[in-house]
Amino acid sequence: MFQKIVREDDFVLFQKQTEKYFNAGSYSTNLDIIKSLYKSLQKQYRCEYVYKNNLVLKLIKEHSLKTTLILNELKVGASKADLVMLNGAVRVFEIKTELDDFSKLSKQLNDYQKFADGVSIVTDVKNAEKLKIEYPDTNIGIIVLDAKNKLQTIKEADSNTSLFDFDTIFKILRKQEYLDLVADNFGFIPDVPNTQIFRACYELLASKDIVDFQKQVLNKLKERKLLKPDYLKSSNTPKELKHICNSLDFNEHEYHKLYNFLATNIVCTNRI
């Protein structure tokens, strides 16, 4: 919805939903509506967005966005990691809310450990107690979003280097990224037909030490840096929308379009 608002000037869904669920005329601005909705979610329906947003708030408060990148829904093996933090290490956060099914969790964690230095489950207090029993002597960390919507680490994530898997790590890379790594390591790019370039690069990089290769991939992924980290950290960007802005990676013009939207009341404006 926010992509449509900012990039397509399409307010139809926002207007439709706010008219359906809110007395929009009682709010001065769209930001007031969003703040009210987010407050309700935190109290009554702690969906994945609430967890992700609280986690992003914590990470950008504790880490410099000049050296840290937070990726949303990164494909790792056969799974998609909810949030991945890249700085001096790879940290994966798998979110399991009180509304979620835990049946795929074990497979997801196995995939993430093939790439990440540390893997943590972020969940509610009740499920955290069960997970402490299920993962007592493992490398898996556990983070709790408590009743006050504060994050607390109750079990630290430990190193996974012994579980790293070349195939999993290599396939995270985009084509230009693995071409860059081949050139950096071997001084050339294989002179083969385009249909064979993936396999040729795969075989060359497979000769590298796995821990060193993982670090190279980490540094290459960090080059997917945010366009405007200062805007993400800015108080002008409401805390309720930090995760959305990080994921959509707005440019300067788009941030200003967002701010203009938040400062108005689109329902009232459209009626006028």
Side-chain angles (χ1 to χ4, degrees), residues 4-213:
K4 283 184 171 293
I5 288 168
V6 172
R7 294 181 171 149
E8 301 174 31
D9 294 320
D10 181 350
F11 312 109
V12 173
L13 181 59
F14 182 84
Q15 182 177 6
K16 180 181 176 182
Q17 296 300 90
T18 50
E19 287 183 329
K20 183 176 180 180
Y21 294 107
F22 291 85
N23 178 11
S26 65
Y27 295 91
S28 299
T29 65
N30 295 321
L31 177 57
D32 292 334
I33 294 172
I34 290 164
K35 283 181 175 291
S36 175
L37 171 59
Y38 188 78
K39 188 176 180 180
S40 296
L41 288 175
Q42 292 218 108
K43 286 183 177 180
Q44 301 166 24
Y45 192 80
R46 298 204 311 177
C47 57
E48 184 177 271
Y49 183 80
V50 170
Y51 278 75
K52 281 187 173 182
N53 197 60
N54 275 289
L55 187 54
V56 168
L57 285 168
K58 178 179 172 66
L59 296 179
I60 65 177
K61 180 180 179 182
E62 295 178 349
H63 301 277
S64 167
L65 293 180
K66 293 180 180 178
T67 56
T68 299
L69 182 67
I70 305 166
L71 299 177
N72 180 54
E73 300 287 337
L74 180 70
K75 193 171 189 302
V76 181
S79 304
K80 275 190 178 179
D82 287 319
L83 285 178
V84 180
M85 183 178 75
L86 308 170
N87 46 27
V90 179
R91 305 288 177 191
V92 167
F93 301 94
E94 179 60 28
I95 293 166
K96 292 298 179 187
T97 78
E98 48 265 57
L99 309 169
D100 283 339
D101 174 16
F102 281 59
S103 62
K104 296 180 181 178
L105 179 59
S106 179
K107 175 65 173 69
Q108 291 171 314
L109 298 177
N110 287 338
D111 281 341
Y112 306 149
Q113 287 183 296
K114 294 174 182 178
F115 169 56
D117 297 281
V119 178
S120 295
I121 308 165
V122 187
T123 192
D124 65 303
V125 174
K126 185 177 179 181
N127 282 311
E129 293 304 314
K130 297 177 184 177
L131 292 168
K132 278 198 296 183
I133 297 169
E134 191 171 348
Y135 296 97
D137 301 312
T138 68
N139 297 338
I140 303 300
I142 301 174
I143 300 171
V144 167
L145 186 68
D146 66 20
K148 295 182 179 180
N149 291 295
K150 301 295 182 185
L151 290 163
Q152 299 178 9
T153 301
I154 61 172
K155 183 178 181 293
E156 294 285 352
D158 292 327
S159 173
N160 296 304
T161 54
S162 63
L163 302 173
F164 285 172
D165 175 70
F166 174 79
D167 186 76
T168 300
I169 298 172
F170 181 87
K171 288 179 178 176
I172 291 170
L173 295 166
R174 298 168 180 164
K175 181 177 180 180
Q176 189 57 53
E177 291 169 339
Y178 64 70
L179 288 175
D180 289 346
L181 289 184
V182 168
D184 291 344
N185 282 280
F186 301 99
F188 67 92
I189 292 174
D191 185 15
V192 297
N194 197 48
T195 55
Q196 298 175 27
I197 193 70
F198 175 90
R199 176 53 54 182
C201 291
Y202 184 102
E203 290 174 354
L204 283 168
L205 290 169
S207 66
K208 302 295 295 181
D209 172 76
I210 189 69
V211 175
D212 176 57
F213 178 65

Side-chain angles (χ1 to χ4, degrees), residues 252-266:
E252 184 174 359
H253 175 65
E254 289 169 336
Y255 267 108
H256 285 293
K257 286 182 71 176
L258 174 66
Y259 298 156
N260 288 337
F261 166 79
L262 295 174
T264 59
N265 185 319
I266 197 67

